[in-house]
Amino acid sequence: MQGKGLIVTIAVILGLICLSALAPTFYASRIENRAQAIAGNNPIKYKKTLDSLAKDTLNLGFKKLDYNTAKLNEMKLGLDLKGGINVLLEINQKDLINDLTNYSVNPVLIEALEKTDEVQKKSTNNYIDDFFIEFAKVNKEKGTNLKLADPEIFGNQGLSEIKYNTTDDQVKAIVRKKVEASIATAYEVIRTRIDKLGAVQPNVQRVPGTARIFVEMPGIKDIDRVKKLLQSSAKLQFWEVQTIQEVAPYFQQLAQVIAMKGDSMGVPKNTNLVNILQLNTSRSQGAANVKLSDTAIVNKVLNSKIAQNLRPSNIKYTQFLWGYKPESSDPKNLVLYAIRGNITQRAPVDGAVESARVNYDELGRVVVDMQMDPKGSKQWKTLTEKNIGKQVAVTLDGKVYTAPNVQGAIPNGRTQISGSFSPEEAKDLVDVLSAGKLPAGAKVVQADVVGPSLGAESIQAGVLSFIIAFFIIIIYIIFYYGGAGIYAVIAMIINLFFIFGIMDSIDATLTLPGIAGIVLTMAVAVDTNVIIYERTKEELFAGKNILEAYKDGFKHALSAIIDGHSTTLLTAAVLFFFGTGPIKGFAVTLGIGLIMTFFTSVLLSRVMIFNRLNKGKKLSVWTAASKNIFRNVWIDFIGKRKYTYIFSIILTVGSIVSIYMNGFKYGIDFTGGRNYVVKFEKPVEASSVQKNLVQLFKTEDGKDSSVEAKTFGNNNQLKISTDYLIDDSSLKADQTIEAKLFEGLKPNLPANLTLQEFKAADVDHAGIISSTKVGPTVADDIRSGGTKAFLFAIVGIFVYILLRFKKWQFSLGAILSLIHDSIIILGAYSLFYRYAPFNMEINQDFIAAILTVIGYSINDTVIVFDRIREYLREKKSISLAGLFDDSISSTLGRTFNTSFTTLLVILAIFIFGGENLRGFMFALLLGIGFGTYSSIFVASAIAYDLLKGKGKSSDEHLHGITTSAKEVPLKK
């Protein structure tokens, strides 16, 4: 066999690479299992044992391993297998524009920014691109004829490269470059913060073409702390503080207005603002002292339009900011500060911190000592000179950490922050300041949180479904193909080793959808072997000897295998390009699996088989039970196509009617919102829980938010979805919703369960085991991306088949059958989503399933078309209808075996793979079933009707396996 040495050499090199990549995973697992066996369930003893065993080393010859090194280099597991958090951060580009315009108050600029904010809610464009469009519109509407290089826009001292005569296009290019540089800086700052956090195997990536940064940290448990660290801009600022005497008259006036217009301000008219602000009590600092439970009322009042319009000139630009946390001496109250602002709201001191460290003051309290950079030091000296004997507030990200009285000018840039810190809070603050400040604020626009207990359950479910699927394939393929089946199994095992090894070596993350991708890859491997062995059987039945039969079997199967792999790879590429998170992981796994399947099942398997045959040994390609299955089976498919057309039309029309009448249940991927999977100790009734929560999740104007509670897997688990505070991506909004959720679910939770325990459930107690948040802008992007992915896949497949088969009739037949399959699956989801005991939402997973079905279905169709193409060359005397029937009938063995094994595999994952994969697998079950049907009865029938000559239908009765009827001419 030609190229045998090269194939073996590649296999050996790949094997060594994979062994080297996987060795750390095996070694780390071995050490942990030994520690677990010694320590049992004692976590302290386990840690000590692990530290002791970590000193051991393993010499593999080509590398030495110790536990700590192995742990850092073991295979990455996704959140769904390990627990943890991933977030999609978006850098605030509005802040970047304000900074580049030197916080200009030009009305055209301000209006353009406001309109850009509105447009962005439904736009998939970059913020900067939408801003330039809106600026041009506002500029034209107002007739101001402002250039972007105007001093009030971008032509300021901060952008020295922009001159008075710089064109708008040149300014746009400069601004885009500056924004890109700022986002790159933000990426580096966030990556540094994560390194300081000590996360194991974090994954930080920029999302190309956007201002978004994807962060994944498996194994992290303190979710609020992580979100806070990631979102903090580290914008350390120093402000002058206004006294109570300056703002008290304004507060008194507001108290009187509330009695008349409280409803318009979002609070009851009988609200006593003077008492809430505790204005009649003496205080050493701040403008007011407010109970924690009353802070929301104060925010509503101060942020209302009525309150804004009532402001006197001395507090026109005042910012009312809350203290970072309650003072230890007054834990139930929070101080409200009046910060002296200005028209640009730029702080008198706004410099980056050069260094920061945790320290203790003379009373033993934890403080943070800082040294400012030269610019900040100079500004700090000026501010302290000006405010001797007065308060100066130190703020970080809009919170007042401390507001001491200035005793004297501070010339050296040194200062100290105190704020009743715990050691951990102080360390986090130092880490944030040391990593540097973000060039603009960051917000979490998408987040997935998976608790450790759910991660452990997912591993068990994934491994179980994988093992069951693997044994199903092994048993079936050996039963059907005998000795050849054993070689297929060997190739499959090598294939799995290569897939895991390559994924580990390229630092890819293994997720639950990734495991599903590997299992589907196994199905593709079975399909590849089935194609080869079915062709080999045909050659044996034609009277060839075993060696020639295998040679021709591999030769004639190659074209169909290449076409099938290429179309599925095309689908994987589309999934990778348009997918995010786990879907991208699924695409990576599927792509690697397809390439390795071709190498092992076609090339390496060929080497092994011919190595045996060339020694004169036999190798059966059937068993006694399977030898004559599908042999001499012939069915008049073309003659019966009118009945299948009617059946397909009924299904398609019924699906369209269901879609029109029932619509879909869209997941938060498409609508935006938050999902929480909550575990209870006892079974709960979803409808009563939903009724309780609706009362709590009301908007400020009293309207109900969308809330849905549905059983998730077991009857002691609920999946709760809501769009409450959908436009608020802050950590505070997350905490507010979690607190309301806790309050609404209290009747079904253990009496002694705390909010903190509820937010991080484990195997020992009830609570939130996973949560997902998707902002409206991300939801728009996902919807748009899903639509584009489907269209690109359809167009790509059409072009590929056109290029391979040289006839548009084949391409159109294939595409119409794929659309037929997609509509039926959509119809089923529309019809059954209210009644199914598992998730039937239209979300990212569903899009991935549809695209996978398209890849599989076209693979099946290509096999039939390949045989038709072959017969068109060889069978010149047979009618076109007979040729189609012969082609479909001759590939029935392959179609049945592949579809049957694939359906068994998917059924195993559907039953044993866990609730997270059930909806995904149900779409695949429908898709594989109807994909097989459409390949035979839709794609082929449509291609036939498009190819046959007009007025030749009378020739249809002349076809058959043994008929040599007049050929029906083809359309040109």
Side-chain angles (χ1 to χ4, degrees), residues 68 70 72 113 201 212 311 380 401 404 492 503 567 609 679 838 850 888 890 951:
N68 293 325
L72 287 172
L113 287 170
Q201 293 186 324
R212 293 172 181 167
R311 286 192 175 199
W380 183 226
Y401 275 69
M492 199 182 306
M503 285 186 66
T567 49
I609 288 173
K679 181 180 73 174
F838 52 86
I850 285 284
I888 300 169
S890 65

Side-chain angles (χ1 to χ4, degrees), residues 412-432:
N412 53 16
R414 292 180 183 174
T415 190
Q416 188 179 82
I417 302 178
S418 60
S420 302
F421 296 124
S422 67
E424 186 181 68
E425 288 172 331
K427 180 185 180 302
D428 286 347
L429 179 57
V430 166
D431 287 345
V432 165

Side-chain angles (χ1 to χ4, degrees), residues 16-143:
L16 291 174
I17 292 171
C18 294
L19 182 63
S20 177
L22 292 172
T25 303
F26 290 127
Y27 184 67
S29 178
R30 175 186 159 196
I31 295 294
E32 288 168 359
N33 289 337
R34 283 175 60 191
Q36 189 71 50
I38 296 170
N41 294 324
N42 187 328
I44 298 175
K45 188 177 179 181
Y46 174 78
K47 180 71 169 58
K48 289 181 178 178
T49 306
L50 199 60
D51 290 341
S52 175
L53 293 173
K55 298 173 184 177
D56 296 341
T57 58
L58 175 68
N59 191 343
L60 297 176
F62 55 90
K63 68 159 52 175
K64 288 184 179 181
L65 280 178
D66 61 79
Y67 172 75
N68 293 325
T69 304
K71 193 67 181 172
L72 287 172
N73 293 286
E74 70 177 349
M75 176 171 277
K76 288 184 177 178
L77 297 180
L79 300 190
D80 47 11
L81 296 177
K82 196 173 182 179
I85 178 173
N86 73 39
V87 297
L88 189 63
L89 290 168
E90 186 168 67
I91 305 304
N92 191 326
Q93 294 178 82
K94 182 178 181 179
D95 286 356
L96 295 178
I97 291 176
N98 276 325
D99 187 56
L100 291 173
T101 60
N102 202 24
Y103 293 85
S104 170
V105 293
N106 182 283
V108 174
L109 175 70
I110 291 172
E111 186 175 339
L113 287 170
E114 289 173 352
K115 288 192 173 183
T116 305
D117 288 342
E118 289 300 313
V119 168
Q120 273 284 294
K121 291 179 180 178
K122 295 183 179 180
S123 173
T124 58
N125 293 335
N126 193 293
Y127 188 95
I128 301 299
D129 294 334
D130 277 339
F131 165 73
F132 286 136
I133 293 170
E134 294 306 315
F135 180 84
K137 287 181 181 177
V138 175
N139 201 14
K140 184 177 180 181
E141 288 169 3
K142 291 184 176 294

Side-chain angles (χ1 to χ4, degrees), residues 927-968:
I928 300 305
F930 281 104
T932 303
Y933 160 82
S934 66
S935 296
I936 296 172
F937 296 105
V938 179
S940 300
I942 291 174
Y944 168 78
D945 280 322
L946 292 172
L947 282 165
K948 71 176 184 177
K950 292 181 180 180
K952 297 294 182 180
S953 59
S954 59
D955 288 331
E956 286 188 13
H957 70 280
L958 298 175
H959 65 267
I961 287 181
T962 58
T963 303
S964 298
K966 188 171 95 175
E967 169 73 342
V968 177

Side-chain angles (χ1 to χ4, degrees), residues 545-733:
N545 64 50
I546 188 73
L547 185 61
E548 290 300 317
Y550 269 106
K551 283 181 180 179
D552 288 344
F554 273 96
K555 177 183 175 182
H556 293 308
L558 188 61
S559 175
I561 291 170
I562 289 173
D563 287 336
H565 276 63
S566 298
T567 49
T568 311
L569 268 174
L570 177 63
T571 305
V574 170
L575 277 171
F576 178 80
F577 187 77
F578 290 102
T580 58
I583 301 306
K584 194 180 286 284
F586 172 79
V588 169
T589 305
L590 186 60
I592 293 171
L594 287 166
I595 295 169
M596 287 300 100
T597 293
F598 186 85
F599 178 76
T600 55
S601 297
V602 178
L603 302 178
L604 194 59
S605 176
R606 182 185 176 101
V607 169
M608 291 188 292
I609 288 173
F610 282 99
N611 186 55
R612 178 183 177 87
L613 294 175
N614 288 330
K615 293 177 181 177
K617 297 179 181 179
K618 299 292 183 181
L619 184 63
S620 64
V621 77
W622 56 58
T623 61
S626 66
K627 179 177 180 179
N628 294 312
I629 297 178
F630 297 109
R631 188 181 181 189
N632 297 324
V633 172
W634 187 89
I635 299 172
D636 183 9
F637 291 103
I638 297 301
K640 302 292 190 296
R641 73 189 185 284
K642 292 176 183 177
Y643 301 108
T644 59
Y645 278 163
I646 293 170
F647 177 67
S648 290
I649 289 170
I650 291 172
L651 281 178
T652 304
V653 172
S655 296
I656 292 171
V657 170
S658 177
I659 292 168
Y660 178 76
M661 298 293 290
N662 299 319
F664 298 108
K665 169 61 178 136
Y666 289 103
I668 63 167
D669 298 20
F670 279 25
T671 61
R674 292 170 173 87
N675 275 342
Y676 299 90
V677 177
V678 183
K679 181 180 73 174
F680 300 87
E681 292 184 343
K682 298 177 182 178
V684 290
E685 188 179 339
S687 58
S688 63
V689 168
Q690 180 173 316
K691 187 177 179 181
N692 291 340
L693 292 176
V694 167
Q695 301 303 315
L696 288 171
F697 288 97
K698 287 183 179 291
T699 59
E700 289 187 4
D701 55 5
K703 293 182 180 178
D704 291 341
S705 297
S706 170
V707 180
E708 182 190 64
K710 190 171 183 179
T711 301
F712 187 78
N714 305 321
N715 58 5
N716 68 333
Q717 285 187 170
L718 291 181
K719 184 177 184 180
I720 299 167
S721 305
T722 179
D723 63 0
Y724 181 67
L725 297 180
I726 185 175
D727 292 318
D728 191 342
S729 57
S730 67
L731 176 60
K732 184 178 179 181

Side-chain angles (χ1 to χ4, degrees), residues 357-404:
R357 64 189 181 93
V358 178
N359 207 343
Y360 296 88
D361 64 11
E362 62 277 4
L363 298 177
R365 295 173 302 187
V366 179
V367 295
V368 174
D369 285 336
M370 299 180 305
Q371 174 62 52
M372 297 182 186
D373 63 14
K375 180 182 177 183
S377 297
K378 187 176 180 180
Q379 292 172 337
W380 183 226
K381 180 185 177 184
T382 302
L383 182 65
T384 52
E385 281 178 341
K386 183 180 175 184
N387 288 277
I388 294 175
K390 299 177 183 178
Q391 275 185 293
V392 171
V394 181
T395 68
L396 184 69
D397 299 333
K399 300 284 186 185
V400 179
Y401 275 69
T402 187

Side-chain angles (χ1 to χ4, degrees), residues 876-897:
K876 300 296 185 182
S877 58
I878 196 171
S879 69
L880 184 64
L883 186 147
F884 268 70
D885 282 337
D886 286 2
S887 300
I888 300 169
S889 297
S890 65
T891 56
L892 275 180
R894 177 265 169 199
T895 299
F896 175 82
N897 283 325

